[in-house]
Amino acid sequence: GQQVMQIPQYQHVQEGEDFTTYCNSSTTLSNIQWYKQRPGGHPVFLIQLVKSGEVKKQKRLTFQFGEAKKNSSLHITATQTTDVGTYFCARTGNQFYFGTGTSLTVIP
Amino acid sequence: DSGVTQTPKHLITATGQRVTLRCSPRSGDLSVYWYQQSLDQGLQFLIQYYNGEERAKGNILERFSAQQFPDLHSELNLSSLELGDSALYFCASSVQPGQGSAEAFFGQGTRLTVV
């Protein structure tokens, strides 16, 4: 139905390693958004992807939207301790349906 | 600061009680969404209001209800509380739903503990 699945649920990386989280939908998405929730905080909007195959970068973060608009990924290069948190994708329309989230732990 | 205000920040109450969580959306946003986040869980969509009217319902229990007032603030009422209702409750707001560039702005959340 409306849900988007994210994998992995948890990821532990050494500082400096790369990290990727994947978001998958069984239906075509009109667009996809990504949010970050720091420990003890609230979700904060990062970016929106709209076009098929779209790639956007924010410093060390790279966001991709699949060609079929059914999946998306967030890749972080050379993680830092400030990257710790849970990353959610969200399908949008009249509501925001959030993925299950990937919790990232960065080990210094 | 997202511009979305939630009160109270923390709430501790006993089983069987009723509580009201309050949310003031970002200035100009007509849509308000309520989410429940349990420990290490995702964001479960509860309900959405748009300009005072209920727009969509998610996994909201019958013991829970919400409303949006003419000044656009919203309240989430939780009754006959159970231990399992302990969670972080977020309110989010956005411009008119369906607009291409709409993003959700979240409040700081209300942490509810039922004892």
Side-chain angles (χ1 to χ4, degrees):
Chain A
Q2 307 284 5
Q3 195 161 9
V4 288
M5 302 301 297
Q6 275 185 259
I7 53 170
Q9 187 175 1
Y10 301 97
Q11 185 80 58
H12 292 68
V13 299
Q14 289 288 143
E15 189 172 16
E17 290 183 341
D18 292 356
F19 159 78
T20 305
T21 173
Y22 301 90
C23 181
N24 299 296
S25 171
S26 57
T27 58
T28 302
L29 304 167
S30 56
N31 58 51
I32 192 121
Q33 297 182 347
W34 285 91
Y35 292 76
K36 176 183 179 181
Q37 183 179 17
R38 293 180 186 275
H42 59 280
V44 175
F45 174 80
L46 293 176
I47 207 160
Q48 175 171 281
L49 304 172
V50 178
K51 299 176 184 175
S52 167
E54 188 170 15
V55 178
K56 287 188 176 180
K57 292 192 175 185
Q58 289 180 350
K59 297 183 180 178
R60 295 177 295 103
L61 276 60
T62 302
F63 304 84
Q64 292 191 347
F65 203 5
E67 293 290 341
K69 299 184 74 173
K70 287 186 175 181
N71 55 72
S72 181
S73 66
L74 158 58
H75 179 83
I76 302 178
T77 304
T79 54
Q80 300 176 358
T81 54
T82 53
D83 295 324
V84 164
T86 301
Y87 293 84
F88 293 97
C89 61
R91 64 177 297 157
T92 68
N94 289 325
Q95 295 85 38
F96 297 86
Y97 288 94
F98 286 82
T100 45
T102 296
S103 176
L104 172 63
T105 300
V106 179
I107 305 163
Chain B
D1 181 11
S2 66
V4 179
T5 304
Q6 285 187 253
T7 56
K9 285 188 170 53
H10 302 275
L11 200 48
I12 301 176
T13 190
T15 54
Q17 295 298 305
R18 172 191 166 94
V19 296
T20 297
L21 312 184
R22 194 177 192 279
C23 170
S24 293
R26 206 172 59 117
S27 177
D29 285 353
L30 300 181
S31 265
V32 169
Y33 311 80
W34 286 97
Y35 292 88
Q36 180 193 56
Q37 186 175 46
S38 301
L39 193 63
D40 290 339
Q41 295 293 311
L43 293 158
Q44 296 297 316
F45 170 65
L46 296 179
I47 198 165
Q48 177 201 1
Y49 278 82
Y50 174 70
N51 203 20
E53 294 188 2
E54 182 184 302
R55 177 62 70 97
K57 268 188 175 180
N59 300 320
I60 188 167
L61 300 172
E62 285 193 11
R63 300 183 285 110
F64 296 0
S65 65
Q67 54 184 329
Q68 186 178 28
F69 295 88
D71 67 352
L72 300 179
H73 90 270
S74 178
E75 293 181 354
L76 178 66
N77 302 296
L78 315 176
S79 61
S80 303
L81 285 167
E82 302 174 359
L83 295 178
D85 297 327
S86 296
L88 195 51
Y89 291 85
F90 283 109
C91 167
S93 74
S94 75
V95 296
Q96 182 176 347
Q99 285 191 348
S101 60
E103 65 187 80
F105 293 86
F106 282 81
Q108 301 287 337
T110 293
R111 182 166 296 283
L112 173 66
T113 303
V114 183
V115 297

